[in-house]
Amino acid sequence: MSSPLPRRAHEALVRRFAAAHRDRPGGEVAVGHHNRNYVVPLDWPLALLLGRMPFGTRAKFRTPLDAVEVVPRIWPSEAEVLRAVTRRLGEVPRCLADFGDWSIHSYVPGRPLSEEIPHGPVGEELLRSFARFFARTACVPEAELPPLPADWPVSGDTQSFLRRLIDFTELRVHRHNRRRFGALFRAVGVRTDAMTAFAARLPLLAPRPFCLIHTDVHRANVVIVRPGRTVVIDWELSMFGDPVHELATHLVRMGYDEAERDRMRDLWADELTEAGRAELTKGLDTDLPVYLDFEYAQSVFPDIMRAALALPAVPADEDFEAAAAPVRRALRRAAEPLRLKGVPGTGRVVTALRAWHAGDVGERFLGAGAGAGPVSRLGGPGRLRPGPDPFAPLGPDQLAGTLNCGPWQSR
Ligand SMILES: Nc1ncnc2c1ncn2[C@@H]1O[C@H](COP(=O)(O)OP(=O)(O)O)[C@@H](O)[C@H]1O
Ligand SMILES: [Mg+2]
């Protein structure tokens, strides 16, 4: 909205009113894996300043949690991404104010799909709406997107793109957490060289042009506005990359059954073709399985760490058994891609978790202050904001924090 106030005065006022609003939220709280969201009706001064009349309109006050990325983030500012996205996808919530360390987004009234249909088939209408969404996202012009990191793979170079993702998993997820979790990984059967061996076996991918991809379209990031009408939220992890990676993450994280998975793949290819982007589907049959394998392989590390970190300070037998379930599921899914030698039984996983828990006392009680490792701090201010090179090695402080694990990992 154009304001009669000079820009800086306007910004200062928005910040002041917004901070006061955020401190007295009194609205609904929605905590995701990366952000704490307060959904609050705007009072009239803030509504006026943000140009969101009538006042009483709800907005989402979004504060990042202290989270470490376990998937790469190439654009530090979600607000910038949203500026480009909302120009073409008008239904996506806009960023109304960006204060750097937190932001205000418009709020889509509706219910997340994760509450409407937490598991199982979603039906043809929703599958079609996702396919249309992917095609529209793929059509956002590259020139309108925020600048890419200087050394980002060039469009079409799918091989380098997937290598970047694999290297990220190996360096920033696996190796950086090895000091604290390495023995646990090994005890449940994940060899130290599992990911590098996966990389070495990578087949040659077909070249495909890159496009904007959301990379995290799962049930908790889809809001049902009305029957059949969906809005995809949470664009923090979007990137410019291989469209087949988008399809693979979606297929896995939605937890589709085989029939819906196949149907979704076909609809995805049809919609892209109809949108005049058939070249994005080139090599789909051979390359989709590769990306699916990668998705299962990469998630084994965060899934194991997350299950371990979720254990209470003094776990009961049931806590260890409950934690073993997601670990075994992750191992089952990664077994083939990572060539694991079978999936250990619950007893072996429980023993591994007990040993990890007993040895992790120092990390839990002394925290990062005592020179603890990457994911030792479970709270605290701040949030990893990647620098210009999103793959530059991080110091222990930047890596400290909760794991950023999507809900697909807990299925
Ligand atoms: N507009 C909305 N309507 C309904 N639920 C929402 C809305 N925005 C967020 N939520 C809920 O809050 C959760 C977290 O929001 P999200 O923006 O995805 O944050 P995070 O980055 O932490 O995942 C969502 O998964 C969803 O359940
Ligand atoms: Mg989310």
Side-chain angles (χ1 to χ4, degrees):
M1 185 187 78
S2 67
S3 160
L5 292 170
R7 208 174 117 238
R8 300 209 28 188
H10 180 264
E11 278 175 12
L13 266 180
V14 170
R15 188 181 269 275
R16 217 177 105 200
F17 279 104
H21 222 71
R22 189 180 64 152
D23 292 343
R24 290 181 273 106
E28 294 162 42
V29 182
V31 182
H33 286 281
H34 325 150
N35 292 280
R36 175 183 302 277
N37 299 289
Y38 289 114
V39 179
V40 201
L42 295 175
D43 60 13
W44 71 264
L46 196 52
L48 198 67
L49 285 165
L50 294 174
R52 303 302 289 178
M53 300 304 277
F55 66 86
T57 307
R58 283 185 294 177
K60 190 161 112 178
F61 289 57
R62 187 163 166 82
T63 308
L65 296 169
D66 190 18
V68 73
E69 261 63 39
V70 298
V71 287
R73 180 169 173 167
I74 69 164
W75 288 315
S77 164
E78 188 184 14
E80 269 182 44
V81 175
L82 286 174
R83 249 195 300 282
V85 169
T86 53
R87 218 174 283 143
R88 304 282 166 171
L89 284 80
E91 77 280 12
V92 170
R94 289 172 43 211
C95 179
L96 304 176
D98 180 19
F99 307 113
D101 51 349
W102 68 284
S103 56
I104 305 178
H105 289 193
S106 61
Y107 178 75
V108 217
R111 266 165 62 81
L113 179 59
S114 51
E115 285 175 20
E116 292 277 313
I117 313 176
H119 309 283
V122 299
E124 177 77 9
E125 196 179 20
L126 279 181
L127 295 179
R128 283 181 180 277
S129 87
F130 293 143
R132 275 194 303 275
F133 164 80
F134 289 127
R136 291 167 68 220
T137 304
C139 290
V140 173
E142 181 187 349
E144 294 179 13
L145 298 172
L148 296 168
D151 62 346
W152 194 244
V154 292
S155 178
D157 187 358
T158 48
Q159 204 74 27
S160 299
F161 173 77
L162 182 51
R163 271 312 293 243
R164 282 296 276 252
L165 300 184
I166 295 171
D167 289 351
F168 185 94
T169 300
E170 173 58 11
L171 297 175
R172 292 270 296 267
V173 185
H174 174 223
R175 281 196 210 174
H176 266 294
N177 289 297
R178 215 158 54 189
R179 197 177 67 74
R180 190 175 177 191
F181 294 94
L184 176 60
F185 294 145
R186 285 192 302 278
V188 297
V190 181
R191 290 182 320 279
T192 303
D193 70 345
M195 208 64 212
T196 45
F198 177 85
R201 288 191 299 272
L202 209 62
L204 211 57
L205 300 176
R208 267 177 302 278
F210 290 1
C211 62
L212 173 65
I213 54 179
H214 179 288
T215 79
D216 203 20
V217 182
H218 55 73
R219 296 177 200 231
N221 281 339
V222 173
V223 176
I224 310 282
V225 181
R226 54 174 188 273
R229 178 111 174 102
T230 55
V231 171
V232 177
I233 60 170
D234 200 358
W235 288 76
E236 284 185 300
L237 302 177
S238 57
M239 55 172 78
F240 186 67
D242 190 341
V244 176
H245 176 55
E246 175 88 307
L247 178 62
T249 54
H250 175 67
L251 295 181
V252 171
R253 298 175 191 193
M254 286 293 291
Y256 289 130
D257 61 21
E258 215 179 309
E260 285 208 329
R261 184 183 275 215
D262 291 350
R263 181 70 183 140
M264 188 65 234
R265 185 202 52 216
D266 293 348
L267 288 169
W268 178 87
D270 291 350
E271 279 293 337
L272 281 172
T273 305
E274 213 155 285
R277 310 283 335 250
E279 74 275 17
L280 302 193
T281 70
K282 211 180 126 215
L284 176 64
D285 289 346
T286 47
D287 293 353
L288 179 60
V290 180
Y291 274 98
L292 290 173
D293 277 358
F294 169 66
E295 178 61 15
Y296 291 131
Q298 68 84 17
S299 64
V300 87
F301 302 107
D303 281 2
I304 293 172
M305 291 189 284
R306 190 173 178 218
L309 288 169
L311 286 166
V314 187
D317 289 351
E318 307 86 78
D319 294 318
F320 283 115
E321 267 156 39
V327 171
R328 293 191 67 237
R329 189 169 44 230
L331 292 168
R332 233 180 352 258
R333 293 171 141 202
E336 227 182 274
L338 289 182
R339 308 259 164 101
L340 306 181
K341 288 195 188 103
V343 176
T346 302
R348 197 174 129 201
V349 175
V350 164
T351 304
L353 285 167
R354 278 188 200 282
W356 174 83
H357 193 268
D360 196 56
V361 171
E363 303 278 358
R364 269 197 310 284
F365 291 106
L366 302 176
V375 287
S376 55
R377 267 192 286 152
L378 295 175
R383 156 123 212 215
L384 171 62
R385 294 236 164 241
D389 173 6
F391 293 86
L394 297 175
D397 276 356
Q398 287 162 297
L399 279 158
T402 49
L403 285 166
N404 156 10
C405 306
W408 67 93
Q409 281 140 346
S410 58
R411 270 199 318 270

